[in-house]
């Protein structure tokens, strides 16, 4: 569920030598009725000094060596000589000064089969016989120029009967827009509702119309909060293949689109949350400050991802799309994962360095950032005696960026946040040093979400099912991998027993018993146990008040929504 938003600094960087238009043309390559590649043509004027460097796709979104999906690279132009660059992703073109250059290459899929659950989103080009799914960063070559350079993109030769949807189908594009784009074609179903387009393929538990109706109020609520008018926005929906019993969903927010990936059994609550999260990336971080450049980008993911989750929850409650119970459950899920994270206290520099290498490191900025946003919201409310909250800060950050002249460099996102927190009466620097940079455990005040309830702190054992659930499912529910030192073994579960019904989505809290009906030697019996592991951690949980009284419910909803 990562969105890659490192481009802002590059967009405003000075052009190296030129700012001429770049003209791209994308053409599907079909053989015997099946798509097998995308032909890309890039036309540009070479630099005045006779040397133009072309960058191929390389690393993006945790995917590396993307240049391996590029083949048949050819260039034509006056006096041209093509040399290898310092890395496989760089090509050096030597040519007559300001020569007209035409670059051609072919994009193919770098692996076999359909997109599947692998632990990360599939951002690489997907090119199947009956469709394609392309993210600009992963397949567009470009000159090593400013990302503010103007560009045009056209699609040609679409097979008869194919649908096309892209957020490049409008004018006034920059090179940044080209890279921050999503284009799909083939057996997608393309739906329109006002300024929203959805391109969806595959079979889902929801209908296409249901998906649109779920998304529209989310988008409307975001424009309302940020004070912006509706604008064209594209959502692409791609199914993922998965093992029986597994579920996955994720996405990436782009300039005016987001790409959504999920298994067909995606849960209703999770679907709403991920759609809201990704659409909010249209503002956070793009519209509230400049992210660090290059490898330093993950240093501020606590803000770009964690604050996005904070406003996902807040606005879903504010617009009545989530109940207070759903918001409470979402908060408790995060606090649980944060408490049991094996990397909870990793310093920020280590998180940034290992963000794309380890799942726990990938998850931590979301958890840490949401809790830090909650803490900052509480700090501002207390300092202002309830007159202000985090909303005032992020909206002020946006006004600063919106008020800049064309080509002006936005303030660094952290500096913008710190400045407006101080303006609101809170010096947040010490909290940033402790909880973000050093990685100290964030402990929310007991009344941080009052009047909804109390945030209680307790010591809880880690969840331990006591056997290998996934391998057991793949073994037709014949139990595999019982830990002789674990709670399941102590309760009588053994390898070779058959569990009559096994759902791995059931079970998370070591304080709640697991109960299985098992069969062994022709006898069926019930085994029940507490799935408590050896390790214990300090856990915070929101204990929600009873909500039978409507006044209590309204007061709690107002608190979650930021209006109480």
């Amino acid at each position: 569920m990562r969105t890659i938003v490192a481009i802002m600094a590059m967009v405003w960087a000075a052009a190296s030598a030129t700012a001429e238009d770049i003209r791209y043309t994308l053409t599907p390559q079909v053989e015997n009725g099946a798509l097998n590649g995308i032909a890309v043509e890039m036309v540009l004027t070479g630099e005045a000094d006779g040397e133009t460097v072309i960058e191929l796709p390389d690393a993006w979104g945790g995917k590396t060596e993307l240049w391996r999906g590029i083949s048949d690279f050819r260039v034509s132009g006056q006096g041209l000589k093509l040399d290898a660059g310092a890395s496989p992703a760089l090509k050096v073109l030597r040519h007559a000064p300001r020569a007209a250059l035409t670059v051609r290459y072919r994009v193919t899929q770098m692996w076999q089969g359909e997109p599947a659950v692998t632990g990360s989103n599939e951002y690489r080009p997907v090119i199947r016989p009956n469709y394609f799914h392309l993210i600009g960063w992963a397949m567009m070559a470009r000159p090593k120029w400013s990302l503010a350079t103007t560009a045009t993109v056209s699609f040609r030769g679409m097979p008869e009967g194919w649908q096309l949807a892209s957020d490049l189908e409008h004018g006034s594009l920059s090179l940044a827009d080209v890279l921050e784009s999503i284009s799909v074609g083939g057996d997608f179903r393309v739906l329109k509702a006002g300024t929203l387009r959805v391109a969806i393929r595959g079979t889902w538990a929801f209908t296409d119309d249901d998906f649109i109706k779920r998304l529209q109020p989310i988008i409307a609520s975001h424009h309302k909060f940020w004070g912006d008018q509706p604008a064209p926005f594209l959502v692409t929906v791609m199914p993922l293949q998965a093992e029986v019993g597994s579920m996955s969903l994720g996405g990436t927010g782009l300039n005016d689109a987001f790409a959504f990936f999920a298994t067909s059994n995606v849960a209703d609550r999770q679907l709403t949350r991920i759609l809201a999260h990704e659409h909010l990336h249209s503002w956070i971080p793009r519209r509230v400050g400049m992210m660090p450049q290059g490898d330093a980008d993950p240093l501020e993911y606590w803000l770009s991802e964690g604050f996005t989750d904070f406003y996902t929850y807040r606005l879903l409650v504010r617009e009545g799309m989530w109940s207070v119970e759903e918001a409470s459950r979402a908060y408790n899920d995060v606090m649980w994962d944060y408490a049991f994270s094996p990397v909870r206290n990793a310093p920020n520099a280590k998180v940034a360095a290992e963000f794309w290498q380890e799942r726990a490191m990938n998850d931590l900025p979301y958890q840490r950032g949401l809790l830090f946003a909650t803490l900052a919201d509480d700090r501002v409310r207390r300092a202002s005696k309830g007159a202000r909250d985090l909303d005032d800060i992020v909206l002020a950050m946006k006004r600063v960026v919106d008020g800049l002249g064309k080509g002006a460099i936005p303030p660094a996102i952290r500096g913008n946040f710190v400045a407006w927190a101080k303006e609101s009466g809170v010096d947040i620097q010490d909290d940033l040093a402790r909880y973000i940079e050093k990685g100290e455990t964030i402990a929310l005040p007991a009344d941080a979400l009052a009047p909804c309830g109390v945030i209680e702190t307790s010591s809880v054992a880690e969840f331990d099912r006591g056997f290998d659930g996934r391998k057991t499912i793949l073994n037709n529910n014949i139990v595999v991998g019982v830990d002789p030192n674990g709670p399941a073994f102590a309760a009588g579960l053994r390898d070779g027993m058959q569990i009559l019904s096994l759902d791995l989505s059931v079970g998370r809290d070591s304080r709640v018993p697991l109960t299985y009906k098992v069969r062994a030697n022709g006898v069926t019996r019930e085994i029940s146990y507490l799935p408590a592991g050896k390790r214990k951690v300090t856990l915070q949980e929101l204990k929600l008040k009873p909500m039978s009284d409507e006044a209590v419910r309204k007061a709690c909803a107002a608190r979650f929504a930021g209006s109480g």
Side-chain angles (χ1 to χ4, degrees):
M1 290 189 283
R2 263 290 318 134
T3 182
I4 312 304
V5 285
I7 71 162
M8 291 187 70
M10 294 184 285
V11 169
W12 279 281
S16 58
T18 183
E20 298 290 343
D21 286 342
I22 306 169
R23 300 190 301 279
Y24 289 94
T25 303
L26 277 63
T27 306
Q29 295 182 315
V30 178
E31 185 177 353
N32 298 323
L35 179 70
N36 59 23
I38 301 292
V40 180
E41 180 182 272
M42 177 175 62
V43 178
L44 66 156
T45 300
E47 298 194 28
D49 65 358
E51 181 177 296
T52 300
V53 178
I54 301 296
E55 295 183 274
L56 303 184
D58 189 6
W60 189 82
K63 304 298 183 182
T64 58
E65 298 186 341
L66 293 167
W67 46 266
R68 292 188 181 277
I70 304 295
S71 61
D72 301 334
F73 187 89
R74 310 181 308 281
V75 187
S76 61
Q78 184 181 0
L80 183 76
K81 180 184 178 185
L82 173 61
D83 291 331
S87 74
L90 296 177
K91 305 287 185 182
V92 180
L93 311 185
R94 307 188 194 282
H95 49 76
R98 299 190 60 79
L101 304 175
T102 300
V103 176
R104 296 183 177 89
Y105 60 92
R106 185 168 184 260
V107 180
T108 55
Q109 185 168 310
M110 299 166 59
W111 80 100
Q112 298 297 315
E114 295 285 336
V117 175
T118 60
S120 63
N121 293 326
E122 190 48 80
Y123 297 141
R124 297 174 297 180
V126 179
I127 299 175
R128 307 299 300 151
N130 54 329
Y131 74 94
F132 63 81
H133 182 281
L134 307 171
I135 292 175
W137 283 106
M139 51 79 60
M140 288 294 211
R142 73 267 190 191
K144 201 169 184 179
W145 295 346
S146 164
L147 296 190
T149 303
T150 57
T152 61
V153 179
S154 60
F155 295 84
R156 294 181 182 173
M158 292 292 293
E160 185 176 355
W162 277 35
Q163 295 284 332
L164 170 68
S166 173
D167 61 340
L168 296 171
E169 296 176 280
H170 53 78
S172 303
L173 295 175
S174 67
L175 185 53
D177 295 325
V178 172
L179 297 174
E180 283 271 300
S181 68
I182 175 70
S183 301
V184 300
D187 61 358
F188 284 84
R189 306 180 295 278
V190 181
L191 303 87
K192 296 181 180 180
T195 58
L196 172 65
R197 283 189 303 161
V198 173
I200 186 170
R201 67 180 307 274
T203 302
W204 303 85
F206 49 82
T207 67
D208 294 355
D209 189 53
D210 287 341
F211 188 87
I212 285 274
K213 288 179 178 178
R214 182 189 300 267
L215 191 53
Q216 281 183 298
I218 291 172
I219 291 176
S221 72
H222 295 170
H223 284 111
K224 177 181 175 182
F225 174 75
W226 295 105
D228 289 336
Q229 293 299 311
F233 197 82
L234 171 67
V235 178
T236 62
V237 185
M238 281 275 288
L240 297 175
Q241 293 186 341
E243 297 175 354
V244 175
S246 65
M247 190 276 290
S248 177
L249 78 164
T252 184
L254 300 157
N255 267 350
D256 50 10
F258 73 75
F260 176 72
F261 310 86
T263 50
S264 60
N265 61 343
V266 58
D268 184 79
R269 184 175 69 95
Q270 291 171 312
L271 176 62
T272 298
R273 191 199 68 78
I274 191 67
L275 292 177
H277 176 100
E278 296 302 338
H279 187 255
L280 272 170
H281 276 312
S282 297
W283 290 273
I284 304 173
R286 290 180 175 87
R287 301 281 297 280
V288 295
M290 184 170 67
M291 292 287 284
Q293 197 170 349
D295 292 341
D297 191 42
L299 288 170
E300 308 295 26
Y301 283 172
W302 60 271
L303 196 157
S304 65
E305 297 300 338
F307 278 43
T308 299
D309 266 347
F310 178 86
Y311 278 100
T312 294
Y313 300 178
R314 172 160 284 188
L315 298 181
L316 285 174
V317 175
R318 182 175 295 185
E319 298 301 322
M321 288 177 275
W322 264 12
S323 66
V324 296
E325 288 84 1
E326 287 174 303
S328 175
R329 178 182 171 190
Y331 259 97
N332 282 333
D333 283 348
V334 172
M335 288 191 283
W336 183 279
D337 290 339
Y338 178 68
F340 285 101
S341 171
V343 298
R344 179 177 66 179
N345 297 116
N348 199 38
K350 184 177 177 66
V351 176
E354 299 179 15
F355 180 83
W356 296 111
Q357 301 170 19
E358 184 182 342
R359 181 57 188 264
M361 286 293 193
N362 187 278
D363 291 339
L364 186 59
Y366 294 79
Q367 301 156 1
R368 184 179 281 174
L370 170 69
L371 297 178
F372 191 86
T374 306
L375 182 66
D377 185 69
D378 181 68
R379 295 266 199 266
V380 174
R381 287 170 57 85
R382 291 179 193 273
S384 66
K385 297 182 179 179
R388 296 182 179 183
D389 62 12
L390 190 61
D391 295 6
D392 297 280
I393 295 176
V394 297
L395 291 173
M397 292 168 68
K398 176 179 178 288
R399 286 194 298 271
V400 170
V401 176
D402 285 353
L404 296 173
K406 186 176 181 180
I409 299 175
I413 194 166
R414 184 185 295 213
N416 204 15
F417 169 63
V418 169
W420 284 104
K422 190 171 185 178
E423 182 71 18
S424 298
V426 176
D427 185 346
I428 205 75
Q429 296 271 36
D430 184 58
D431 287 337
L432 284 171
R434 292 180 59 195
Y435 303 124
I436 300 301
E437 293 308 318
K438 295 179 182 178
E440 292 182 23
T441 300
I442 298 172
L444 297 176
D447 59 349
L449 292 172
C452 294
V454 176
I455 295 178
E456 294 185 355
T457 303
S458 60
S459 179
V460 178
E462 186 174 37
F463 178 85
D464 180 6
R465 198 178 297 274
F467 64 97
D468 194 321
R470 188 168 300 280
K471 286 185 178 179
T472 296
I473 286 179
L474 295 175
N475 197 35
N476 296 315
N477 282 10
I478 305 299
V479 176
V480 175
V482 175
D483 178 1
N485 299 310
F489 186 90
L493 191 69
R494 298 291 185 271
D495 285 347
M497 290 181 172
Q498 182 181 25
I499 297 179
L500 302 186
S501 178
L502 176 57
D503 182 353
L504 296 184
S505 68
V506 175
R508 172 182 173 86
D509 191 336
S510 63
R511 298 164 297 184
V512 178
L514 288 178
T515 301
Y516 297 117
K517 283 188 176 180
V518 302
R519 180 180 292 126
N521 301 320
V523 177
T524 299
R525 65 188 178 102
E526 214 171 63
I527 291 179
S528 183
Y529 60 95
L530 285 175
K534 300 292 190 294
R535 185 169 76 105
K536 288 191 174 185
V537 302
T538 299
L539 170 71
Q540 288 198 303
E541 297 174 286
L542 172 60
K543 297 297 185 180
L544 204 62
K545 286 181 180 178
M547 291 290 154
S548 54
D549 186 295
E550 189 60 26
V552 174
R553 178 175 293 277
K554 284 184 178 180
C556 178
R559 179 66 190 91
F560 274 126
S563 55

